Structure formats: structure tokens, C-alpha cells
Amino acid sequence: MKLKHVLIVLMSVVILVGLSGCGGSASSTNAGAGTASSAAPANGGEDLAKFKGETINVLSWEGYQEDEWVKPFEQKYGVTVKVTYAGSVDEMFAKAASGSVKYDLIFMDGGSVNRYYKMNLIQPIDLAKLTNTNQLIANMKSLNDKHVVKDGKTYAVPFAWGSLPMMVNTDKIKEPIDSWNALWDPKYSGKIVTLDDAANQTAMTAMLLGFKDPYNLTDEQLDQVKSKLLEQKPLVRTYYAGFEDGKNLMASDEGWIGFSMGPTMITDLQKEGKNVVEVIPKEGALVWIDNAVIGKDAKDPELVHVYIDYLISSEVQAQLIKKTSYGGVNADSANKLTDEEKKVSHMDDPNYFNNLVYVAFPESFEKRVKLWNEVKAAQ
């Protein structure tokens, strides 16, 4: 899901059930984006007329269904891609679960797939019908499969991703930083900015404490996380809740070091002339992976398979990266990027995923929100 959704919106599921993938925090520039013709579907040998007049109902995050790649597909097959956008994880689930619209294709963070699977809202994907899966980034796919393969069947195919690293102003902090412990260092007191987010604050702190699975914590481990966050609180300048808020705190030098909402926050600051760098701490960092999933009542699953295959092609993936700076899932798309575009989206480093921990649904959102509210309310 979009970065904003991962970090802020995941908490709102508590309101719905008792909600992670991240919206529009990334750069929306079209600079370098491919033309419509360059994204034309590659399956030239098929019977194009058999789908003519059909409609694909898509439930998506903004930025995933752009004219640059949607229009060529519609024109080639004579179909209509009708898109409904969701503003949050819980809104997306509510729309899909209501049944008022039979969505053929749904985009969601991989951590949500199990929730839809248990509610019988999705159907398996036939990988034999996809020609581009062999181009998916191998270690990314392996990480994703652990969350989207159920009973030997694949229910989701990755589409986009982003990490949640640390950000450090190297003009203000000269020494090397390699651990989340830096956000607890008294020498940076008053200059630490971090997320107002229950789920990911809990997960990051659990990683720092060395817990094996930061999304499956015991009550005792949650208590240790709470104690650690209370220890940090006096050092924190502020807990920020929005992409622009976090970026502005670093841009104004109110913050020197922080828990970022993604690499695009850091690259935006660099474009503004700030010497802010990304750090993947030795304990690891979180990563969200948004997936394409076929709805249970999809009218024409064959057409949806063709569309998914098109969306994960190197041509479309390169356009997605150029437009959003999110990570792409097709390794070959890197060949269609400039060196700078590859660097910004981490498409130049196949080992980047090795130190990333998948954003998944936790043991209890209610417990995490209660923990976080208690931390914020503490004197």
C-alpha cells in the first residue's frame, strides 16, 4: 500500500473491527515517464477480440491505475478499466466485503491477504497464465510468498513496495549511524522525530529489542516494547503523523534524525538541498509490499490474469517507478531506468531486501493502539 496508508491508516482498522499496504506521500512527478505506446501489452499473439466490451472493476490505491499504462491496455483489448480508490486499509476492506460491487482486481498490502482469504473474498491466481512472473525480483518474491501462499496456492502477485528506514542529517550528525538505538541516544535529545503510529512503532522497537517476529508479540514482549518507548519519550522532539510534517521537521533542522515514512521522504529532502541520508539499521527495517489480488466473484478471471501480467511487465513497472519512486517488482524494469531512478527506487541493489522485515498484520491492533496511547499520555 502507499506509505501513508501503511503508517497511519493501519491503526484505523481498530475502529472497524474492534484496520497495512503505503497514499500520496511519494513524489507524483511525471518526469521521465514512458509514453502510452511504450506500455502496450506484450501478448501480441492472443485473440484480442474475445474481451471486447468487458469491464474490469478495480479497487486500488491512488497512483496504481494511471492513464499512462491503463489507456493502452483498454485500447488494445477494447475493454474498460473502472477504478474505485480507497483512502485507507479499513475502507478498502469494507468496500470489498460489502459485496455491493463485485471487484475483479484488488490491490492490498501482503499482510492483509490472509484477512481477505479467511473471509473468502479472493481466489487463487493461476501462475501458469502469467508470463512475467519469472522476471520478479527473486528475494522480494520469496519474502512476499510467505504471506500470500495459502495451502499451496498463490493468492496475490506483488506490484509495488517501499521500505521504512531511518533518516539522518549528516551535516548535524557526523558519526556513523547503524542502529535504531540512535533514536534513544541522549546526545540527540530534542532532535529526534519519529512516527505517531502504533503498529510500526511497536514493530520497530520490537526489532531493536531483538524479538524474532515483530508482528507476533507476547504480552510480556509488548510490555518490554512499552517500557522502551517510555524510555525514549523525553528525548523526542515530536511524534509526526503526516509525510509533509515529517519532511518539514527535517528540512527546518528541528529534527536531525528520525524514523521516516519511506525513501521518498529522504530523496525529497535531498532535492531541497538537505544532506539527509537513508540508513537501514543493523536490526533491519520494515517493508510493505502491495499485491494484486483477484476477487472471489471476478466476472472474467482470464481477462484479469491478462491485466495482472501486463501490470507486472517491465514496461509498466518502469513507468510506475518513474512516476512514484516506489520500488518496482520486475527486475528487468531496471534496464529502462536512468542510474538516478534506479538509485532512488533501490532497483540498483538486489540485496536491499535482505535486511527488510515484512509489514504484516499483528497479533492485536487493539493492544498496540492501547500501548501507544499510554506512551503518548505518559508524563
Side-chain angles (χ1 to χ4, degrees), residues 223-241:
D223 285 342
Q224 291 181 56
V225 167
K226 178 181 174 181
S227 295
K228 189 68 174 175
L229 287 167
L230 286 171
E231 176 189 325
Q232 180 197 44
K233 185 178 180 182
L235 309 176
V236 174
R237 181 173 188 84
T238 189
Y239 301 115
Y240 71 89

Side-chain angles (χ1 to χ4, degrees), residues 336-348:
K336 297 175 172 61
L337 305 174
T338 66
D339 288 345
E340 181 61 23
E341 289 166 344
K342 285 187 280 190
K343 180 180 178 182
V344 167
S345 60
H346 293 291
M347 294 298 289
D348 62 340

